[in-house]
Amino acid sequence: MRPGQIIVLATPFFFLLIGIEFFVGRMRARRGSGQDTYRLPDTLNSIGLGMLSQISAALTGLLRIGIYTAVWSAFALFPDTDFWTRWYGWLLALVFYDFCYYWLHRFGHESAVLWAAHVVHHQSQHYNLSTALRQTSSGALFGWIFYLPMAIAGVPPLVFGVVALVDLLYQFWVHTEQVGKLGWFDRWFCSPSNHRVHHAVNDRYVDRNYGGVLIVWDRLFGSFQEEGERCVYGTRSPLRSWDPLWANAEVYASLARDSWRTRHWSDKLRLWFKPPGWRPADLAANDPKPPFDIAGVQRYEPQASRGVQVFAALQFIALLGGATAFLWFSDTLAFTTSLVWLAALTAGLWATGAVLQGRLPVIGVLFVDAAALAAASGALGIAGLHVVAKPLALAILIVFAGLRARSDAMPGRFALLLLAGLAASLAGDVLLMWPTLFIPGLVAFLLAHLAYIALFAEGVGLFPRRRALAATLAVGVSMYAFLWWGGLPAGLRIPVGLYVVVIACMAAQALGRAAVLGDAGARQVALGACLFMLSDALLATNRFVQPLPVASLWVLASYYAAQWLIAAKVRAR
């Protein structure tokens, strides 16, 4: 049985225990003998990050197993498979793995670049079984290094994979506040009490209790701390977001920002390997950070209505079904297929977090879902799904724009131009699904761009920044020359040339408008117009010059992002 299938089969067991823990905590909270440790947004975020971790793991198999297998094949000192597959060999391999895990885990707290991956697991300010599922998607970048001693010792890849799974599954149950201290068990094994300490930000608890199965490693190497005062969970630099992409990227982004800002080249490198929180002297002096105050810790709990939470839960269930199907077949899928479904499911998880934060309305989530399905089905050639999802995405966006025009009390002409641009785009989407209707589809999008030019000219005039026009036309001419050189058919040279001029003018108008208005919304609309140019450039390259891998994914992802930015951010002056 493949690893992905084992995770799928274990999932109902995980959810059963989560359900039991939830009801036990709710009952204890009502009786005053304990507390309810669950909040729906936090739980969905944690499980969603676990889903994202497992899906992305399908793309990092070479790092996790491939390198291990290569090192084992070339350098194994004791590759006696018969020894390692007897009960004592399995037990020794499990202890060996747990020892290596201890050091990976410890360095994950003592080196900033490793913390950037591991921090995902610590971001929740609640502590429950769903926190156990909250895992990083970037751990495979460096984590494999710590297990190479097992390969050199001779532990076969199959044995390594099984004991790694056992070690991981064991750690699920220790993420709970509903189990107290366990006496002698706490002295030898990682237990709920010991692991609560590990997740706490209290001064006496920080960077303690790294053991996965055994806690004896912490006792041997001086990193053990017994649970005493009540734990406060999370990180000392709170995430304060339900965005799964930002959860994985926040520390990397912070390190990159500090690396760029510090003056000394040695510091630019050192800060990636120093302990988390270390900053070069110049940054510490010019941009000091206040010391951590545990009394000031507040949980991140943005308000969301009951209806939004119900919708988010239903959305999440649908995504969970998709992720389950993916994991069941993941080990047999091509890399590009896995990449496409990773992108689609990530978009859905991002939208779920965004609606719970109030950054995206419910109808916006539906648009993201339809857009993700359209891009994925187009890239994978799932015609039946594509023919429904592609026009559905723009239809939803038209409804959104209509509702927004009414709620924002847009002037009639302004709203009409926006809806006209979207309607013409919808017509173009439908027509371009049939190769024989390329020219009518091109005309439809040309009309859409003309509507957008008129829309962006409202209140600022036509082409208020001539430099922007010159720049976009230069880009358009370069792209047209590239297409001509690449084999653009003679019969399409005039209509494609006209289209290139019009979309370049549309982008120039949006850029000029942003320069005049100078607000964030106008800049986002300009970004959308530039993404429109990018989408069309990718589409033309794929059609006339060179087929691109999973072209529909890149073409439609940039196209739908462009349409959303225009429809959601454009406002009458």
Side-chain angles (χ1 to χ4, degrees):
M1 183 171 290
R2 297 185 296 271
Q5 294 176 328
I6 295 174
I7 294 295
V8 169
L9 293 177
T11 298
F13 179 70
F14 292 155
F15 281 103
L16 175 62
L17 290 180
I18 286 172
I20 292 173
E21 184 193 30
F22 169 75
F23 284 111
V24 168
R26 180 63 60 89
M27 186 169 54
R28 287 178 171 175
R30 289 175 178 174
R31 293 176 177 174
S33 58
Q35 62 177 342
D36 177 11
T37 60
Y38 280 91
R39 297 295 182 273
L40 180 67
D42 175 80
T43 301
L44 296 186
N45 189 241
S46 290
I47 299 175
L49 282 161
M51 290 164 51
L52 194 60
S53 174
Q54 288 299 317
I55 296 166
S56 62
L59 304 177
T60 57
L62 179 62
L63 285 177
R64 293 181 299 110
I65 299 297
I67 295 178
Y68 183 95
T69 302
V71 172
W72 176 78
S73 299
F75 302 108
L77 299 176
F78 306 103
D80 184 356
T81 303
D82 184 62
F83 168 81
W84 291 108
T85 53
R86 294 182 181 275
W87 71 267
Y88 46 80
W90 284 101
L91 181 60
L92 177 61
L94 179 60
V95 173
F96 198 170
Y97 182 93
D98 202 56
F99 176 75
C100 294
Y101 172 84
Y102 170 85
W103 287 107
L104 167 62
H105 199 178
R106 181 164 180 166
F107 274 89
H109 285 250
E110 296 179 353
S111 173
V113 69
L114 296 177
W115 173 248
H118 183 59
V119 68
V120 176
H121 184 60
H122 284 262
Q123 288 161 343
S124 176
Q125 294 178 296
H126 298 272
Y127 190 74
N128 52 56
L129 293 177
S130 75
T131 309
L133 303 179
R134 186 185 186 100
Q135 298 292 333
T136 179
S137 294
S138 62
L141 292 176
F142 301 105
W144 56 271
I145 297 171
F146 289 82
Y147 298 107
L148 291 185
M150 296 182 68
I152 295 172
V155 180
L158 175 62
V159 176
F160 170 76
V162 171
V163 298
L165 190 61
V166 170
D167 203 276
L168 177 66
L169 293 175
Y170 172 88
Q171 294 178 57
F172 175 75
W173 79 282
V174 303
H175 292 82
T176 182
E177 291 194 75
Q178 307 303 334
V179 176
K181 292 190 175 183
L182 299 175
W184 68 268
F185 190 88
D186 292 337
R187 292 193 293 273
W188 293 93
F189 295 95
C190 179
S191 65
S193 175
N194 291 331
H195 205 62
R196 284 194 290 270
V197 167
H198 178 71
H199 275 257
V201 294
N202 311 51
D203 286 340
R204 65 185 299 189
Y205 293 157
V206 168
D207 298 337
R208 292 291 183 266
N209 297 5
Y210 299 109
V213 173
L214 298 172
I215 205 67
V216 292
W217 310 124
D218 292 281
R219 294 180 180 276
L220 284 172
F221 300 112
S223 56
F224 177 76
Q225 176 63 53
E226 187 173 359
E227 183 181 24
E229 65 186 60
R230 181 162 185 79
C231 297
V232 177
Y233 302 108
T235 62
R236 292 194 164 191
S237 298
L239 176 65
R240 302 191 66 77
S241 173
W242 304 134
D243 184 340
L245 297 177
W246 183 240
N248 277 282
E250 62 144 348
V251 175
Y252 291 110
S254 176
L255 289 171
R257 184 168 55 250
D258 282 352
S259 180
W260 175 263
R261 293 169 59 203
T262 190
R263 292 191 301 269
H264 302 292
W265 285 100
S266 59
D267 286 339
K268 290 178 185 294
L269 179 63
R270 283 200 302 164
L271 64 84
W272 292 86
F273 299 97
K274 284 285 190 175
W278 180 87
R279 305 183 80 211
D282 57 341
L283 293 185
N286 298 330
D287 184 20
K289 291 187 176 180
F292 175 72
D293 178 14
I294 198 168
V297 172
Q298 293 184 339
R299 283 179 173 169
Y300 177 70
E301 294 181 340
Q303 295 300 309
S305 69
R306 180 63 61 86
V308 166
Q309 293 193 48
V310 170
F311 171 80
L314 294 174
Q315 159 92 354
F316 188 81
I317 290 170
L319 291 168
L320 181 61
T324 300
F326 172 83
L327 289 174
W328 187 260
F329 297 105
S330 62
D331 297 310
T332 63
L333 297 177
F335 177 83
T336 52
T337 302
S338 296
L339 176 65
V340 169
W341 286 120
L342 170 63
L345 290 166
T346 299
L349 289 169
W350 173 85
T352 304
V355 75
L356 287 170
Q357 285 182 242
R359 296 171 54 200
L360 202 64
V362 168
I363 195 170
V365 178
L366 297 176
F367 168 74
V368 171
D369 291 344
L373 289 174
S377 59
L380 299 177
I382 308 173
L385 178 59
H386 189 65
V387 78
V388 174
K390 190 179 181 187
L392 178 61
L394 257 290
I396 292 172
L397 194 56
I398 289 172
V399 173
F400 165 78
L403 294 173
R404 185 176 159 248
R406 293 181 61 184
S407 63
D408 289 358
M410 285 184 183
R413 173 180 164 80
F414 194 87
L416 185 61
L417 288 170
L418 174 59
L419 292 172
L422 291 171
S425 297
L426 173 57
D429 280 347
V430 173
L431 292 169
L432 287 181
M433 284 193 289
W434 285 270
T436 56
L437 298 178
F438 180 77
I439 292 296
L442 201 66
V443 171
F445 275 111
L446 188 145
L447 294 174
H449 294 318
L450 290 173
Y452 285 149
I453 290 172
L455 175 70
F456 301 154
E458 289 286 301
V460 299
L462 197 62
F463 305 126
R465 293 292 185 271
R466 299 303 170 89
R467 288 184 180 179
L469 179 61
T472 57
L473 285 175
V475 172
V477 168
S478 300
M479 186 65 203
Y480 186 71
F482 173 71
L483 295 176
W484 185 301
W485 172 80
L488 181 67
L492 292 177
R493 288 173 182 172
I494 292 177
V496 169
L498 178 62
Y499 183 84
V500 167
V501 170
V502 172
I503 193 171
C505 290
M506 187 271 288
Q509 184 64 50
L511 290 167
R513 179 176 179 272
V516 171
L517 299 182
D519 61 78
R523 288 192 291 270
Q524 289 174 312
V525 170
L527 173 61
C530 293
L531 286 174
F532 225 135
M533 285 190 73
L534 173 63
S535 176
D536 284 338
L538 293 171
L539 175 64
T541 300
N542 181 68
R543 186 179 182 90
F544 300 121
V545 181
Q546 174 67 43
L548 301 174
V550 292
S552 183
L553 178 65
W554 319 117
V555 171
L556 290 179
S558 53
Y559 166 72
Y560 287 127
Q563 293 282 27
W564 173 260
L565 287 171
I566 292 171
K569 302 301 179 180
V570 72
R571 283 176 171 76
R573 185 178 180 186

